[in-house]
Structures are given as C-alpha cells and as structure tokens.
Amino acid sequence: MARPPPLGELPPSYTPPARTSAPQTLAGSLKAPLWLRTYFQGLLFSLGCGIQRHSGKVLFLGLLAFGALALGLRGAIIETDLEQLWVEVGSRVSQELHYTKEKLGEEAAYTSQMLIQTARQEGENVLTSEALGLHLQAALIASKVQVSLYGKSWDLNKICYKSGIPLIENGMIERMIEKLFPCVILTPLDCFWEGAKLQGGSAYLPGHPDIQWTNLDPEQLLEELGPFASLESFRELLDKAQVGQAYVGRPCLHPDDLHCPPSAPNHHSRQAPNVAQELSGGCHGFSHKFMRWQEELLLGGIARDPQGQLLRAEALQSTFLLMSPRQLYEHFRGDYQTHDIGWSEEQASTVLQAWQRRFVQLAQEALPENTTQQIHAFSSTTLDDILHAFSEVSAARVVGGYLLMLAYACVTMLRWDCAQSQGAVGLAGVLLVALAVASGLGLCALLGLAFNAATTQVLPFLALGIGVDDIFLLAHAFTEASPGTPLQERTGKCLQRTGTSVTLTSVNNMAAFLLAALVPIPALRAFSLQAAIVVGCNFAAVMLVFPAVLSLDLHRRHCQRLDVLCCFPSPCSARVIQILPQELGDRTVPVGIAHLTATVQAFTHCDASSQHVVTILPPQAHLAPPPSDPLGSELFSPGGSTRDLLGQEEGTRQKAACRSLPCAHWNLAHFARYQFAPLLLQLHTKALVLVLFGALLGLSLYGATLVQDGLALTDVVPRGTKEHAFLSAQLRYFSLYEVALVTQGGFDYAHSQRALFDLHQHFSSLKAVLPLPASQAPRTWLHYYRNWLEGIQAAFDQDWASGRITRHSYRNGSEDGALAYKLLIQTGDAQEPLDFSQLTTRKLVDKEGLIPPELFYVGLTVWVSSDPLGLAASQANFYPPPPEWLHDKYDTTGENFRIPAAQPLEFAQFPFLLRGLQKTADFVEAIEGARAACAEASRAGVRAYPSGSPFLFWEQYLGLRRCFLLAICILLVCTFLVCALLLLNPWMAGLIVLVLAMMTVELFGIMGFLGIKLSAIPVVILVASVGIGVEFTVHVALGFLTTQGSQNLRAARALEHTFAPVTDGAVSTLLGLLMLAGSSFDFIVRYFFVVLTVLTLLGLLHGLVLLPVLLSILGPPPEVVQIYKESPEVLSPTAPQGGLRWGASPTLPQSFARVTTSMTVALHPPPLPGAYIHPASEEPAWSSAATPAAYVPDNLSSRGPCTATQ
C-alpha cells in the first residue's frame, strides 16, 4: 500500500519558539485520587498502544476465541417446565416439591383436558336443552378422537384415567369390568342419560347385545348372572358405591332419542327435563357416593333466586382425565397389544401428546360459526406447546434487528469527510457485538445454564443495544483525538480517555444483573446470570478487539483509502495539515482576563504538481476582553478544529474554490454545543427542569401505589388466539384450583388422628376452600377409612346379633361382617397377633370417632384392598403403599387371619378445591391461611404442608417486594462504591446514585400507570435498570469531573463531548428493542419492550437533562486548575487595541496564502489559599518531525492543483 508523500518544507524564516511550563493548581485532598486514576489510565494507554502495534493478531485471536465460545450454543438446552422455571430455589416450596417427588415420583396422577362452552352473546343463559345439546355434540366429537401411532389405534378408552378398578376373583366378571369400567369425565352431561355416550367401553355376553353404558343396568345384569356365578362381593361393592342403575336411570336430555332407555324418568312422558333443576347441586358419575361433581366444577357465571335455587349460568365445562405417561406405560407394559413395538415411556408420552392435540383441534371445530354457542378447548400439551413457542428464537426478528442496527451504525458514522468517516467501523462494531453476544450465550450453555423464554426472546436484543453503546463511545472518542497525538498512540489515547467510562458502565451492568440473581426464581436467575456473562463478553470485545478494528481503520485512513470500500483510494483524504503549536510566555495572565485569544497566521503552500497542502502556523496572539455568548462568557468560542483553522482572514475577498454545505458542519456535538447546552444551563431553564422532574417523581410515587402483584397465564399467551380465549373464559368462570394438604412422615399417624381431623377442619374453614354440600361427607382418606370401618362394624354387629357370626365361625355372615371379624381379633403384637376375646370387647371405631392405634395400620391394609373406589376418590396417594391382601371368606386354614400391617406412613394427602382466586391478593390470602393451618398443626405434632399450583407459582409474592427492595438497596450501595472507586469522587458517586434511584422510582410508578403488574420479570428489569442507567449518567459525570472551569462551563463541556455517544447509544438500544415490538406474545411487548423503552427514555432524559443541571448547581469542584503565563520577550510594543499582540509576521513567500483563526480558552478563578501548586514537566520543543499530520476535511480546499492566493 502506497505511503502518503512527505510534507512540504517550512518557510526558512520560521523558527518555532521554545515551550514554557504551565503550572497546574491541584487541591491537596484530590492528589491521591488523581494519581490512582492516572495510574489506571496509564494501564489503559499501554493496553491501547499494545493493541495498535499488534492489531491484526489481536483481531484474529479475538475473533477465534469468541467464535469458539459461540459454538457452545450447539449444546444449549431450553427449559419449558413451569416448575423448573418458576419455583423458588431453596424455598420451602422447593423443598416440599422435592419431598413430594421423592415419595410419589415425577408425575401427577392424571392430566386434564377441558372443554368450556359459552354463548357468543355475552351473558346469555346456557342452561337450556339446546345449549346442552351443542355441548354434547362437541364432547362426543372430542371423546371419539383416535390417533394412529406405532401401527396401533389409540382412543379415549385406552388412555383415559380410570379410578379404582376393583379386583374380582371371577375371571369373566373381571374381564368385563376391565372393558366397561368408565373413564373419569367431569361433565354436566352426567346429570342425564346422554353422559353415557361419552364412555366408549363395551363388553360381550352370550345372548345379550353389546353391553355399553348407554344400555347397561348393573342391577339387572347382576340378577341375570346370579345363577351362574357367585357375585355377592361384587354386588356389595356396587351397593357401597351407590351405583344403582348407573346412567339408564337418569332423565334423557332429548327424550325423543330412539335410544333413550325405558328406565329413564321422562321416557314415557317425552318431556324435556328442567336443565337448571337437574344440574342444581351438581352431577355424579356412575358412582353416586364417590363421583360427585360439584356445581362449581361444571357451571360458571351462576345466578340463583332468593331461595338459593339455580336459575341460570353463562358457561359449561367438561373435563376429561387422561393417564400420565408413566401410568400409560405401566398399563400396557407386557400387554399383547404393545409387545411388538418396543413399548417405552417416551412412546406413551408421544401417544398422549398426539391425542391431546387432536382433541383440542376437533373440539374447537366441533360447532359451526353460525351457532349461538362457542367451544374453548385446552389440554396440558397445549400449554407445553405455548411455552415451547414462547421460548423459540425468532430468526426473522433477530436478523431484522441486527440488520437495522448495522444500517444505523453505518449511517451515523459516515461523514462527508472521507478521512473522518467511520462507516466500516460501525459495521464491524455491530458485527463484533453480535459475535460477543453469541459467545456469551455459548459460554452460558457450556456452563450448564438452561435457556428460557427471556433468554431467547429478549437477551439478544437487550445485549446488542447495551454493547453498541460502548462502540459509539470509543468511535466518537477516536475521531476527537488531538491532532498532535502521535499516530502510534492514537488507540492508546482513545482507551485512556474512554476506558474508565466503559469499565465503569460494564462493571455496573454486570453487578446489576448479578444482584438481580438474588431473585430466587430459576428462570429469572438464569436470565440474570446469562445477561451478566453476555455483558462481560461485550466488555471484553469492546476493550480488547474493537480497538484493533479502530487501529486498522486508522491505517486505512493514513493510507488514504475510502471508507467501507477500503480497496479504493480516497481523493479527498490526500490533503494534510501540519499545525505548529505555540506556548505563552512566562508571565501569568491577569486573573481578570477571562479569555485568551490566540491569533495564528496560516501559510498555505500548494504544490502545482500535486494536491497536497501544507499549512504552517507561526503564532500571533493577544489577550482580549471576553466576547458575549449565550452562557455569559462561560463557554469557549469555536476554535481548535481544522475546519476553523482554515477560515480566511477578515477582509480577504478571495475565497476558496469549493466550500462545504452548512449542513455538513451539523452533528449532535454541534447541536449540544451551540443550541442545547446554552439553553439548558440558563437559570430559568434549570428551575423549570427541576420543577418538571420533581413533578415526575411525585407522580411516580403515586403510580407506585397502583402497582399490583401478579402474572396471569393470560398475560403470557398471545392475545386473539383460541388458547387465550379459553384461559380468559376459565379465569372468569372457573377459577378453581385443585390443591392437597400433604402430611409427611416423622410422626405417629395412629396416635395423631384427632390432630389430623382438626387440621382438616381448620383447612376446610378457610375462605378460599370450596365447601362441600351439607349432605356430602368429607372426601379424605381418613374419613373414608373411618366410615368404612363403621360400616363393616355395623354389619358385624348385625351378623353377631342374628347368630350368623359366632366366636368360632364367620362363614355364614356377610362379607363385611367377616372382614370385621378378622380385624377385631387383631392385637398388633407380633408374638400374639390374634385375640378372639376382643370380638365383643372392642370396636373398630371408638366413641370419640378414633380408630384404635394398634388396629390402625392393619385396618389400613384391609381398607385399601377392599374399597378401591373409596381409596381412589380419597386421592390419598399413600407412601409407602400398604401391601395387597385379598379377603377370602371361605378360607378355613387360618392363614387368612394374618393380615400384614401397613408400614408407617411417610406421605398422605387430603384433597381440596380453592375457589374465587382472581387477583394475586386472593392467592396470597389463601396461601397465608393454609400456612397458618399447617403451623398450628405442627404445634400438635403433625407435619404437613399445602401442595398445588397456587403454592408453587404464587408463594413467591409473599416476599417478592422485600426481595426487590433488598436487591435495589444493595445494588445502589454497590453502584456508589464502584463509582466512588473508579471516579475517586464520593460526591459525584452520590449524585449518580441519586439520579439512578429517581429513575428506578419513576420506572416503577410508570408501570403502575401502564397497568403492568409486579412479578419476578419486572423485578429483574427494575434491578437491571440501575445498571443500565449508569450507561446514561457516568459519561456525563466523568466529563464534568475532568473538565476545568466554572460549573456551567464544565457541564457544557461534558455535554458537548458526551451528548452524541450517549444519544447514539440510546437510539441503538431502542433499535435493539424495536424488534421486541413485533413479538406475537403480548407479554414480551408489554413486560419487556414497553418497560425497557420507558427505561431507555428515562435514562436519556436523566443523563442529558437532569444530571447536567444538578452538576451545574451541586457538582463537585474540578480536580485540576490551569494557570497560564505570558512571556514578556514576545510582547509586541505595538499591541493592537483590545489586547496584547506578540510576534511579528514573517515575510511570506508568494506561493503562500494568509489565513487567520482565533481560539478562546476559559480560565478558572484563582485557587484557594494554600492550594497545592504542581508544576508541569518541561516538554521538548515542538519539531516537525515529532508531530504527526492531522487530516483536513475534504471541503477545505478544492480538488486538483490549487492556485496560491495573496
């Protein structure tokens, strides 16, 4: 690559003057902080120079390292399990969940698929035969779903959950029951005969038509089979379950149906039933005793008359229960139907998911659009699909966001002056940040941090916006380097100037995200840690690799190549200016002189054989009274730039052949210097700013009182979808939650029965617990167990009184009487297990309603084996499970007397339903009540805890605000310490923390006005806002701290140098967030895009408006005060009017043109008495060989050979 031609020779008559020292005044208390910062900046300078010397190697190794880390994304794991995402780590809920899984396994007993029917006309009554008929139509279509997988056909009857299938010794009856046993379907159709149509089982008996629930009368069937088989035990089982005639004894919804059984109450009258009357009090399955479906499970939007009778309802709900994957796998393991397909649990899960998706699809399409009713369907697989879609990376949005950022970076960094243009640097910077983000995420994957929706949907855009901020800062600082800076030190000077700011913002961002990990929600903790790691990778890329890019671009500019298209030479970069500085003399400038004006004559030589221009500037200066300016002589007048340096002397009529457009001079720094800062720092503007921000803070404090806790599933699911419609209807009409009161091990159940009953009573009295009808017994295992014992005791008493059971024989007694006989003789003693004398001296349940402790675990074994329907209805889920034991009344060997006792229980549960939980406050109240009941039971020796989705996902709100305030306070203290350490100025650190605290409060208040609820996600954003806010404040603060002059002057200088990079950083952040606005998930838009956009705008306003005003009023004093001296030797005796002029103009060659410029320097007032005077070291006299050339914009001289002007 060709080198630029050497500079022309200087005029022989010009001799550069010797430099004189310029003492600096430094407050003694600031000497140590300045030394420390100087040391740190010296390290940054050395780092930058080293990177510039080896820029190619650094760039190659950096890209290689980041690229290698990015490969870790191949092993990324996306977590969609709600429990793994939202249950607090290490909390009591987490410990309780672990205990439950340890005892019962990973899965629930069943999964629910739901249909909700509402009228298209809101508020319309659905308790009509027509509406129930449409519900039957949809439910029938859904129940007949079949999927073909692995060469088999799977229907509802194969995969549904069946509760308590009894064990029957008669093989024929057992096979028939297995085929006919009904699925558990909670539906309002069970109040009618039509409910049987949803059951798909069938059986065959010789001489009978196919037996189905639509034509099955269990009582009649047992009568017909009685002569052929001993069915006494089965008959007693049905009688205890109160099966009766099952479905054929119920009214027909449509009595004109040809299949309506004659036993239906309205078969002969052909009158349609009163739907509201039939549904009043709820329905029941085939068992009246154990399968009661309460009204609240079936009907929504209920209205009653003054007497409490059901009048109308606005919604119907049917729930189909399916087996879990583990249950389905166990059910068909070893079965002839699956022996040839390598049956596994994964295949069982695939079958269930396929069936559920088909179920939802057909149910939603079941009713035509012209009907008055609409169906909403949902399944557990639907929720999983939503979470998977929520967590998927949108390639289109990622690519679009990064392309938009590339375009913005390139356009904002392009310049008319080819030598100053940095479009390629902008492109390279954005691509580098993109690679750093990918490498950070890859490192997270390598560390085992699971990804979630926040990682995939938000972090790529947020990290891009934050990372590009520092790219703009370094690029702006690189272009503003002093023209006298040696070429080989340009990168070092850039890092020396901006490295402290970049380090401070990055460290604060990392600290903010790391402290946000204090929020104990796994999804948000993973997001915070991932964000901290990505910010760290961005920091490494900006501080180590991006300076290499700047160094290579500097080489491109020095070699006069075009921006972006660097292979082509630049015609406008070939002109060079060499500026010769001139120091003042030894005499100190009088304090009353506010401005020093240096008038410099420039001699421009134009070689006819080339386009190269050499300008020599022998100094001529004078002291003049300060001119008027917008800030009352606080700001320096324009000067010091090459564009000003080549302005022609006043009075010269001959002008340059070409001139740039006025708009080419305008940029953000120009705007901040000439328009924004003068306006902002006026006295009345400051007062207005303080009043407005005070009003904003006051409104935000009020808005903070409007913020509610919570995060509903409807906030996550995209609006306008069928899933959102279902969840909205469910939240409105069926806000019911199945929960359980779990009792643990560690206490004696047999001796704690009274405490267990009291615990159940206390829990049942909670406001949120759905009460049972007065006629219905509690649905708990302990009540069912006790009632069963009382039942067989009554049968024994009858048999004993009638003589069918004696001390020596029970064969003539009933099945229940024989069972009681065997239990009454049990002693619980391993040495003497039987005592026949107890037959008449003890009861299975005493007068206080308690089971004898020595009989408790033996009786538990018998109850579990003899009452499967009651056990299933109780949902006890015993662990360890009691042993199986089969009762044989005709066994005369005595072995049947030995009943194995169940092991001491370590897990059992009481089921409950919670109702009316609409707001987070309702959940919190229910959780607190449940916890209080468990705490009271623990004082009685019973270890228990509540379990269920409200406790898993809403208990976090009990301490969320406390955790949030703790994290914010810790982070503000850490920010103060970090700023005080790196800025070495606690005063300034305090002002920064004050502004950051205001931003957090205002963001919180605006959330209240926008209706955004407080959950773990906004908490993370609020905590991170402190770190992100540092991006907008620390640059201005550092600029103010290191500038000399009065408060207004320093605030203006800080704004001039930081306005452009801070604004560009904010715009880049907004562009990164803009892609979030296109998300199909309203949750992403409201909780991330809106909140982060408001945060960015607040940061911009506080950093560029409020902070400069506060600094101009309350800012700390400058660290260094410069005192200028003038040299008497150079003072001219003929000083011009208005100032002193020294030096004579040398004789100019004919080929040189004279131009004049003025530069105004503001002086600080004299130092306080006792100030420390630190003399600057003597610098060697300037020489043309030691100072590099500075480039001049392309608009300062015409292209081609130029003619000298006089």
Side-chain angles (χ1 to χ4, degrees):
M1 184 176 291
R3 287 282 187 182
L7 302 175
E9 297 180 357
L10 301 177
S13 59
Y14 176 73
T15 303
R19 280 181 170 266
T20 58
S21 63
Q24 298 174 346
T25 301
L26 176 65
S29 61
L30 299 177
K31 182 168 61 174
L34 268 184
W35 183 89
L36 290 174
R37 189 184 305 126
T38 302
Y39 178 77
F40 181 65
Q41 290 177 331
L43 295 178
L44 293 173
F45 177 78
S46 301
L47 175 64
C49 293
I51 292 175
Q52 184 172 350
R53 284 194 303 270
H54 308 284
S55 56
K57 299 176 183 177
V58 171
L59 181 61
F60 174 77
L61 293 177
L63 294 179
L64 185 64
F66 285 125
L69 288 176
L71 293 177
L73 284 172
R74 300 175 59 184
I77 300 175
I78 297 180
E79 182 64 71
T80 58
D81 186 357
L82 282 177
E83 292 181 358
Q84 297 296 325
L85 290 173
W86 291 103
V87 177
E88 296 183 30
V89 178
S91 66
R92 61 184 177 187
V93 175
S94 177
Q95 297 171 3
E96 292 162 358
L97 183 63
H98 175 74
Y99 185 86
T100 301
K101 290 184 175 181
E102 179 184 0
K103 303 304 179 184
L104 297 185
E106 295 289 331
E107 296 179 342
Y110 51 79
T111 59
S112 301
Q113 338 306 312
M114 290 162 283
L115 297 180
I116 293 179
Q117 176 179 319
T118 59
R120 297 186 186 274
Q121 184 69 32
E122 186 174 353
E124 186 176 337
N125 183 27
V126 296
L127 298 185
T128 63
S129 298
E130 294 76 14
L132 263 294
L134 292 173
H135 194 75
L136 173 63
Q137 178 181 337
L140 270 177
I141 292 176
S143 66
K144 303 306 179 185
V145 168
Q146 290 188 353
V147 293
S148 296
L149 285 173
Y150 312 114
K152 312 293 180 182
S153 179
W154 305 89
D155 58 15
L156 177 63
N157 196 51
K158 287 184 177 180
I159 65 175
C160 71
Y161 175 74
K162 299 181 179 182
S163 174
I165 301 178
L167 297 177
I168 305 298
E169 296 179 1
N170 188 295
M172 178 188 68
I173 299 298
E174 184 179 6
R175 288 190 296 271
M176 185 176 67
I177 289 177
E178 184 179 354
K179 293 181 179 180
L180 276 178
F181 203 83
C183 299
V184 178
I185 304 175
L186 289 69
T187 174
L189 297 170
D190 272 348
C191 282
F192 308 95
W193 165 77
E194 280 78 1
K197 294 184 177 181
L198 304 182
Q199 303 293 343
S202 63
Y204 172 74
L205 283 177
H208 291 77
D210 283 348
I211 301 176
Q212 299 178 348
W213 283 103
T214 54
N215 59 15
L216 173 61
D217 184 346
E219 294 178 347
Q220 181 181 352
L221 181 63
L222 289 178
E223 291 292 337
E224 294 178 0
L225 295 179
F228 306 101
S230 176
L231 300 175
E232 182 180 353
S233 61
F234 184 54
R235 185 190 302 275
E236 290 188 4
L237 179 67
L238 295 182
D239 290 341
K240 290 179 182 179
Q242 301 175 10
V243 174
Q245 291 183 300
Y247 288 97
V248 297
R250 304 175 190 181
C252 294
L253 184 63
H254 301 291
D256 295 331
D257 191 327
L258 296 178
H259 300 287
C260 179
S263 55
N266 61 343
H267 172 75
H268 300 290
S269 65
R270 301 295 179 180
Q271 290 184 356
N274 186 327
V275 174
Q277 182 178 349
E278 295 294 336
L279 289 175
S280 181
C283 303
H284 52 82
F286 80 97
S287 169
H288 287 246
K289 181 178 180 180
F290 297 120
M291 296 183 176
R292 294 287 302 181
W293 323 137
Q294 292 177 251
E295 277 184 9
E296 291 79 2
L297 292 171
L298 310 176
L299 307 177
I302 295 174
R304 302 181 185 276
D305 62 14
Q307 288 73 36
Q309 296 298 317
L310 181 64
L311 286 180
R312 61 195 312 276
E314 298 179 10
L316 303 171
Q317 177 174 255
S318 291
T319 305
F320 297 74
L321 302 186
L322 304 184
M323 285 188 279
S324 67
R326 170 62 62 85
Q327 287 178 327
L328 184 60
Y329 166 70
E330 294 290 345
H331 181 73
F332 282 100
R333 186 176 62 171
D335 191 272
Y336 73 95
Q337 300 180 67
T338 58
H339 74 281
D340 58 337
I341 60 174
W343 184 240
S344 65
E345 192 170 342
E346 291 75 16
Q347 290 176 323
S349 178
T350 302
V351 168
L352 289 171
Q353 291 175 1
W355 193 92
Q356 289 173 335
R357 292 189 181 99
R358 187 63 176 165
F359 169 89
V360 171
Q361 177 187 356
L362 293 182
Q364 290 173 344
E365 300 172 353
L367 301 184
E369 293 291 334
N370 58 357
T371 59
T372 60
Q373 305 290 311
Q374 56 185 346
I375 292 291
H376 311 289
F378 198 78
S379 71
S380 56
T381 299
T382 305
L383 180 59
D384 293 338
D385 292 341
I386 290 174
L387 293 176
H388 278 290
F390 188 51
S391 304
E392 288 180 354
V393 179
S394 175
R397 287 209 313 275
V398 171
V399 172
Y402 279 67
L403 288 178
L404 189 61
M405 189 70 74
L406 284 169
Y408 176 78
C410 183
V411 170
T412 54
M413 300 181 74
L414 282 173
R415 297 290 184 271
W416 292 99
D417 179 4
C418 300
Q420 300 291 331
S421 182
Q422 290 182 302
V425 170
L427 294 175
V430 173
L431 293 176
L432 179 62
V433 171
L435 180 60
V437 172
S439 66
L441 294 176
L443 179 58
C444 294
L446 293 175
L447 294 175
L449 294 175
F451 289 13
N452 55 66
T455 308
T456 58
Q457 298 279 348
V458 178
L459 191 53
F461 306 103
L462 179 61
L464 175 65
I466 293 176
V468 173
D469 292 353
D470 295 331
I471 294 293
F472 282 116
L473 183 65
L474 263 69
H476 279 282
F478 200 77
T479 59
E480 293 177 357
S482 173
T485 305
L487 189 68
Q488 64 273 18
E489 297 179 0
R490 291 288 294 276
T491 305
K493 288 291 185 182
C494 177
L495 282 186
Q496 185 181 34
R497 179 178 177 184
T498 61
T500 302
S501 295
V502 173
T503 301
L504 186 56
T505 56
S506 299
V507 169
N508 270 282
N509 276 328
M510 286 188 285
F513 285 115
L514 287 175
L515 284 173
L518 289 175
V519 179
I521 307 300
L524 282 309
R525 176 168 290 181
F527 172 78
S528 302
L529 293 176
Q530 289 159 349
I533 291 174
V534 170
V535 170
C537 289
N538 279 345
F539 175 61
V542 170
M543 292 294 288
L544 298 178
V545 183
F546 187 64
V549 176
L550 292 174
S551 301
L552 293 176
D553 186 68
L554 179 63
H555 183 72
R556 185 269 306 170
R557 293 160 59 188
H558 185 65
C559 295
Q560 307 165 17
R561 298 288 179 177
L562 283 174
D563 189 16
V564 182
L565 305 175
C566 56
C567 295
F568 301 95
S570 170
C572 59
S573 297
R575 291 176 291 279
V576 181
I577 287 182
Q578 185 98 16
I579 300 175
L580 310 182
Q582 170 70 25
E583 288 283 347
L584 293 177
D586 295 330
R587 287 187 299 178
T588 304
V589 176
V591 173
I593 301 299
H595 289 73
L596 171 65
T597 303
T599 304
V600 191
Q601 292 185 349
F603 307 99
T604 306
H605 175 266
C606 185
D607 188 355
S609 62
S610 68
Q611 300 178 7
H612 304 290
V613 179
V614 181
T615 303
I616 302 93
L617 305 174
Q620 291 183 343
H622 64 275
L623 293 174
S628 60
D629 58 48
L631 286 176
S633 300
E634 293 283 358
L635 296 179
F636 50 84
S637 61
S641 68
T642 55
R643 185 176 292 109
D644 299 323
L645 211 60
L646 291 181
Q648 288 194 352
E649 187 178 9
E650 184 180 358
T652 303
R653 297 181 179 180
Q654 299 171 344
K655 299 183 179 180
C658 62
R659 180 174 298 175
S660 63
L661 296 174
C663 63
H665 294 269
W666 192 95
N667 53 34
L668 289 174
H670 184 279
F671 169 75
R673 177 175 181 172
Y674 293 106
Q675 282 86 34
F676 184 72
L679 176 63
L680 179 66
L681 298 178
Q682 292 181 14
L683 186 60
H684 64 275
T685 308
K686 294 180 185 179
L688 180 62
V689 167
L690 294 177
V691 169
L692 291 178
F693 276 89
L696 177 60
L697 182 60
L699 284 174
S700 300
L701 289 173
Y702 170 71
T705 63
L706 304 178
V707 178
Q708 299 179 354
D709 294 347
L711 178 62
L713 195 56
T714 51
D715 295 330
V716 178
V717 177
R719 294 182 183 273
T721 61
K722 295 179 179 179
E723 292 79 10
H724 188 274
F726 171 87
L727 292 172
S728 299
Q730 185 187 46
L731 182 64
R732 178 178 179 181
Y733 296 117
F734 300 100
S735 186
L736 295 172
Y737 295 87
E738 293 184 358
V739 299
L741 185 58
V742 175
T743 52
Q744 302 172 259
F747 71 96
D748 188 355
Y749 281 70
H751 289 86
S752 303
Q753 295 177 60
R754 176 55 58 197
L756 288 171
F757 283 121
D758 292 342
L759 172 60
H760 176 268
Q761 178 62 33
H762 189 176
F763 204 94
S764 301
S765 63
L766 296 179
K767 175 184 175 182
V769 173
L770 180 65
L772 294 173
S775 60
Q776 186 173 347
R779 296 184 302 111
T780 72
W781 66 269
L782 193 56
H783 289 86
Y784 282 144
Y785 177 25
R786 184 180 66 178
N787 294 342
W788 179 81
L789 287 176
E790 290 175 339
I792 64 173
Q793 177 72 61
F796 173 83
D797 292 340
Q798 291 179 2
D799 290 342
W800 183 272
S802 63
R804 290 193 296 271
I805 292 182
T806 65
R807 177 184 178 89
H808 304 289
S809 175
Y810 56 81
R811 294 186 60 181
N812 295 326
S814 63
E815 290 285 338
D816 285 351
L819 277 175
Y821 181 98
K822 294 180 180 180
L823 284 174
L824 286 170
I825 63 176
Q826 303 295 320
T827 64
D829 186 358
Q831 300 297 327
E832 296 182 3
L834 304 178
D835 183 359
F836 291 89
S837 64
Q838 297 181 152
L839 284 171
T840 56
T841 60
R842 70 185 302 184
K843 297 290 184 181
L844 297 179
V845 178
D846 63 21
K847 295 179 180 180
E848 297 181 357
L850 302 180
I851 305 168
E854 66 276 8
L855 188 63
F856 186 85
Y857 286 109
V858 176
L860 190 64
T861 297
V862 178
W863 174 64
V864 167
S865 301
S866 304
D867 189 15
L869 291 176
L871 176 65
S874 71
Q875 302 178 35
N877 287 328
F878 291 131
Y879 183 86
E884 290 187 1
W885 177 81
L886 290 178
H887 165 60
D888 184 0
K889 190 175 72 170
Y890 300 100
D891 182 11
T892 58
T893 63
E895 289 298 323
N896 206 232
F897 285 153
R898 300 184 180 276
I899 304 174
Q903 298 182 40
L905 293 177
E906 298 178 15
F907 184 97
Q909 61 184 23
F910 299 151
F912 292 94
L913 281 174
L914 301 185
R915 62 171 181 178
L917 303 183
Q918 297 285 341
K919 300 179 180 179
T920 301
D922 301 330
F923 286 94
V924 171
E925 181 182 359
I927 292 170
E928 290 175 342
R931 292 294 182 184
C934 293
E936 182 178 337
S938 67
R939 291 190 286 271
V942 174
R943 299 178 57 195
Y945 62 86
S947 176
S949 58
F951 304 97
L952 288 179
F953 306 123
W954 274 272
E955 185 149 341
Q956 58 178 292
Y957 295 104
L958 294 179
L960 183 64
R961 296 204 175 213
R962 177 187 54 81
C963 185
F964 164 56
L965 290 176
L966 177 64
I968 286 291
C969 292
I970 294 176
L971 181 55
L972 288 176
V973 172
C974 290
T975 301
F976 174 81
L977 295 177
V978 171
C979 291
L981 179 64
L982 292 182
L983 295 179
L984 300 169
N985 193 307
W987 187 343
M988 181 63 76
L991 287 176
I992 291 176
V993 169
L994 173 64
V995 173
L996 295 177
M998 289 182 61
M999 285 177 54
T1000 304
V1001 172
E1002 289 162 5
L1003 179 61
F1004 190 69
I1006 292 174
M1007 284 172 48
F1009 288 116
L1010 294 177
I1012 296 176
K1013 299 178 182 178
L1014 185 68
S1015 63
I1017 291 177
V1019 164
V1020 168
I1021 296 179
L1022 286 166
V1023 173
S1025 68
V1026 178
I1028 297 174
V1030 174
E1031 296 274 354
F1032 301 98
T1033 55
V1034 74
H1035 305 311
V1036 177
L1038 188 60
F1040 179 86
L1041 200 60
T1042 57
T1043 306
Q1044 303 175 32
S1046 66
Q1047 303 283 71
N1048 279 354
L1049 172 63
R1050 294 162 63 204
R1053 288 292 300 270
L1055 277 175
E1056 179 193 1
H1057 290 292
T1058 60
F1059 189 89
V1062 170
T1063 303
D1064 284 338
V1067 174
S1068 67
T1069 302
L1070 290 174
L1071 288 176
L1073 299 174
L1074 185 61
M1075 291 297 102
L1076 298 178
S1079 174
S1080 59
F1081 290 90
D1082 183 66
F1083 173 78
I1084 293 291
V1085 177
R1086 296 185 69 236
Y1087 282 79
F1088 284 100
F1089 171 72
V1090 173
V1091 175
L1092 290 173
T1093 299
V1094 170
L1095 170 60
T1096 304
L1097 296 177
L1098 285 176
L1100 197 61
L1101 290 175
H1102 285 74
L1104 297 181
V1105 178
L1106 178 62
L1107 183 59
V1109 170
L1110 292 178
L1111 292 176
S1112 68
I1113 300 173
L1114 304 173
E1119 296 172 330
V1120 178
V1121 177
Q1122 185 90 30
I1123 294 182
Y1124 293 91
K1125 292 184 178 180
E1126 61 182 46
S1127 177
E1129 295 85 5
V1130 298
L1131 290 177
S1132 173
T1134 57
Q1137 185 177 0
L1140 298 176
R1141 185 179 183 89
W1142 65 88
S1145 302
T1147 303
L1148 301 179
Q1150 189 174 4
S1151 60
F1152 283 80
R1154 174 179 297 170
V1155 292
T1156 303
T1157 186
S1158 295
M1159 178 175 65
T1160 304
V1161 180
L1163 300 181
H1164 193 270
L1168 298 176
Y1172 174 77
I1173 305 298
H1174 177 70
S1177 60
E1178 294 290 340
E1179 297 181 5
W1182 181 90
S1183 64
S1184 60
T1187 304
Y1191 297 101
V1192 182
D1194 59 338
N1195 58 320
L1196 299 181
S1197 60
S1198 60
R1199 298 182 181 181
C1202 57
T1203 310
T1205 57
Q1206 188 70 23

